[in-house]
Amino acid sequence: QVRLVESGGGSVQTGESLRLSCAVSGSDISRYCIGWFRQPGTYAREGVATIHNDGTTTYSDSVKGRFTITRNNAENTLSLQMDNLKPEDTATYYCAISTLEVVCTMERLRVYANSWGQGIRVAVSS
């Protein structure tokens, strides 16, 4: 059974940084598509970033240039470095993985993810 556990969330002010981590057990993340999503309040969950087994990354336009997704294969963890945070980044953040053979985009991962973390809150105040 694959288990994902997020950590590193919190409350910061505009312009500050946070680093989220996702510890994965039960699956070798180096083999699969894995990524981050977020859900602001009652709005729909949206893709933030993905990373595939070949290291290819994708980002949503809203975070491109500010967020960086990385993967530590030795520790089987996924990270999201979030710089220059804005109030609109306030959301619950989730990591997700698909152990299926999928094109590693945010839309495909959203549909084909077979494991999700429990979510972690990030709040950015102005």
Side-chain angles (χ1 to χ4, degrees), residues 23-98:
V24 182
S25 58
S27 180
D28 180 355
I29 66 169
S30 68
R31 298 175 57 189
Y32 302 114
C33 176
I34 188 167
W36 291 95
F37 292 79
R38 66 187 183 185
Q39 186 165 15
T42 58
Y43 292 93
R45 194 170 296 188
E46 61 187 31
V48 176
T50 65
I51 184 166
H52 207 186
N53 55 11
D54 64 358
T56 303
T57 58
T58 66
Y59 295 92
S60 68
D61 288 343
S62 62
V63 308
K64 199 173 295 183
R66 300 187 298 121
F67 290 11
T68 304
I69 187 171
T70 56
R71 184 182 63 213
N72 186 319
N73 294 336
E75 296 183 357
N76 220 39
T77 58
L78 178 73
S79 295
L80 184 70
Q81 177 65 37
M82 305 186 294
D83 297 320
N84 191 22
L85 283 160
K86 303 176 180 181
E88 50 263 44
D89 295 317
T90 295
T92 299
Y93 284 71
Y94 301 86
C95 55
I97 189 170
S98 175

Side-chain angles (χ1 to χ4, degrees), residues 98-112:
S98 175
T99 58
L100 305 174
E101 291 291 331
V102 297
V103 175
C104 197
T105 65
M106 282 174 276
E107 281 308 306
R108 291 295 180 98
L109 182 57
R110 185 208 310 274
V111 173
Y112 294 107

Side-chain angles (χ1 to χ4, degrees), residues 1-24:
Q1 183 178 355
V2 181
R3 184 166 182 250
L4 294 81
V5 179
E6 301 97 339
S7 61
S11 297
V12 297
Q13 295 189 325
T14 298
E16 294 184 340
S17 299
L18 277 175
R19 185 177 181 88
L20 303 182
S21 293
C22 175
V24 182

